[in-house]
Amino acid sequence: MIDKSVIAALGWHPGTRLDATTVEGAVRLTLCETGRNRITNESDLRLAARTRRILSINAGDQVLLAADTQRAALILLPLRAVDRLIGDIVDGYRAESGQS
């Protein structure tokens, strides 16, 4: 189940088809009439098997969704990618403060 407010913020409705583009360990979904990813009748996001393989996720795995309303795009980050990004930030703070 997803937070449907993210989908609503983009103005996407049931039946909307989406194309997936890989962006540094994440996937960017954009409108595409022939896209294999789609918004279901229940306004959930249905990812094609290929998209799930790109992200190395299984149906039901948790991901971070970020709506880019300026570009009408949805960014999906697997939680391991989020963990890595947070770890990089923490490591940067530690390096700035001289901690190990």
Side-chain angles (χ1 to χ4, degrees):
M1 181 161 24
I2 66 167
D3 180 351
K4 293 180 173 87
S5 65
V6 176
I7 301 299
L10 291 164
W12 294 350
H13 304 286
T16 299
R17 296 248 171 217
L18 306 163
D19 183 49
T21 307
T22 304
V23 181
E24 297 183 29
V27 166
R28 181 175 181 257
L29 296 172
T30 53
L31 297 173
C32 178
E33 290 182 17
T34 59
R36 293 184 179 205
N37 306 283
R38 66 184 174 86
I39 306 301
T40 67
N41 289 337
E42 295 78 27
S43 295
D44 286 322
L45 176 61
R46 176 71 43 94
L47 296 177
R50 181 175 187 272
T51 303
R52 291 193 311 272
R53 276 194 306 275
I54 289 169
L55 291 169
S56 296
I57 61 171
N58 296 307
D61 284 356
Q62 292 184 334
V63 297
L64 174 69
L65 300 176
D68 181 347
T69 56
Q70 296 292 341
R71 293 180 183 89
L74 182 65
I75 309 301
L76 281 79
L77 284 159
L79 289 187
R80 70 183 171 291
V82 175
D83 289 343
R84 188 179 66 242
L85 291 171
I86 292 171
D88 290 348
I89 292 168
V90 169
D91 290 346
Y93 287 140
R94 287 181 180 153
E96 287 177 9
S97 67
Q99 297 176 1
S100 29

